[in-house]
C-alpha cells in the first residue's frame, strides 16, 4: 500500500455521522454565494471549493443555521451557542472525501439548543 493511496469515502456530518447530500445553491437568502445544505440532525453546512474563503463560508453556514438571521449569526459564540466541524479534502466533482487532488472544505455549524 503506497503512502499516497487513500481510501475515498462519501462525506459525513461530523456531528451525527450521517452521509450528507452534495452541496447545492442555497435559496434562503440572496446574499448567499456558496453552495451548502442541511443535515437532518440540524447542522447547516457550506462548501468552500477554493480553501481560501474560510471566513465568508463559515459565516454563511452560521446564517444558514440561524435560518437567514444575519444579526443573530454574528452574535453567536463558539462553544456557547454553537459547535463547528469540518470535512476537508472534499471533491464536489465526485462527492467524495480524500479524492486525489481534492482540496475543498465543507464547514459545518450546529446551534446548541437554548434551554
Ligand atoms: Zn448531522
Amino acid at each position: 500500500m503506497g503512502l499516497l493511496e487513500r481510501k475515498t469515502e462519501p462525506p459525513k456530518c461530523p456531528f451525527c455521522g450521517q452521509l450528507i447530500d452534495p452541496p447545492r445553491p442555497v435559496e434562503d437568502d440572496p446574499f448567499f454565494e456558496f453552495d451548502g445544505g442541511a443535515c437532518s440532525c440540524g447542522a447547516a453546512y457550506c462548501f468552500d471549493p477554493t480553501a481560501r474563503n474560510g471566513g465568508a463560508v463559515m459565516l454563511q453556514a452560521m446564517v444558514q443555521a440561524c435560518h437567514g438571521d444575519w444579526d443573530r449569526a454574528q452574535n453567536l459564540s463558539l462553544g456557547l451557542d454553537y459547535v463547528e466541524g469540518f470535512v476537508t479534502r472534499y471533491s464536489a466533482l465526485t462527492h467524495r472525501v480524500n479524492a486525489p487532488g481534492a482540496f475543498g472544505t465543507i464547514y459545518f455549524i450546529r446551534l446548541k439548543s437554548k434551554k
Side-chain angles (χ1 to χ4, degrees), residues 13 15-18 39-41 43 110:
C13 173
F15 304 124
C16 70
Q18 291 184 85
C39 178
S40 58
C41 77
R110 190 163 78 175

Side-chain angles (χ1 to χ4, degrees), residues 6-66:
R6 286 168 179 265
K7 201 164 167 277
T8 66
E9 53 185 40
K12 293 184 192 123
C13 173
F15 304 124
C16 70
Q18 291 184 85
L19 300 180
I20 59 165
D21 292 329
R24 51 177 59 94
V26 184
E27 313 263 311
D28 302 0
D29 190 295
F31 292 103
F32 286 169
E33 49 180 319
F34 304 102
D35 290 352
C39 178
S40 58
C41 77
Y45 56 89
C46 194
F47 171 53
D48 179 1
T50 66
R52 286 198 204 141
N53 295 304
V57 179
M58 181 65 86
L59 176 60
Q60 182 180 316
M62 290 173 67
V63 176
Q64 286 171 226
C66 292

Side-chain angles (χ1 to χ4, degrees), residues 15-113:
F15 304 124
C16 70
Q18 291 184 85
L19 300 180
I20 59 165
D21 292 329
R24 51 177 59 94
V26 184
E27 313 263 311
D28 302 0
D29 190 295
F31 292 103
F32 286 169
E33 49 180 319
F34 304 102
D35 290 352
C39 178
S40 58
C41 77
Y45 56 89
C46 194
F47 171 53
D48 179 1
T50 66
R52 286 198 204 141
N53 295 304
V57 179
M58 181 65 86
L59 176 60
Q60 182 180 316
M62 290 173 67
V63 176
Q64 286 171 226
C66 292
H67 304 288
D69 187 337
W70 290 76
D71 288 336
R72 186 180 168 207
Q74 292 178 75
N75 285 299
L76 296 175
S77 301
L78 175 61
L80 194 64
D81 302 309
Y82 72 95
V83 287
E84 63 184 10
F86 309 92
V87 168
T88 57
R89 296 181 54 85
Y90 170 72
S91 166
L93 284 178
T94 57
H95 191 52
R96 306 287 284 182
V97 178
N98 279 335
F103 53 88
T105 301
I106 307 176
Y107 294 81
F108 290 77
I109 298 287
R110 190 163 78 175
L111 298 184
K112 296 189 166 186
S113 51

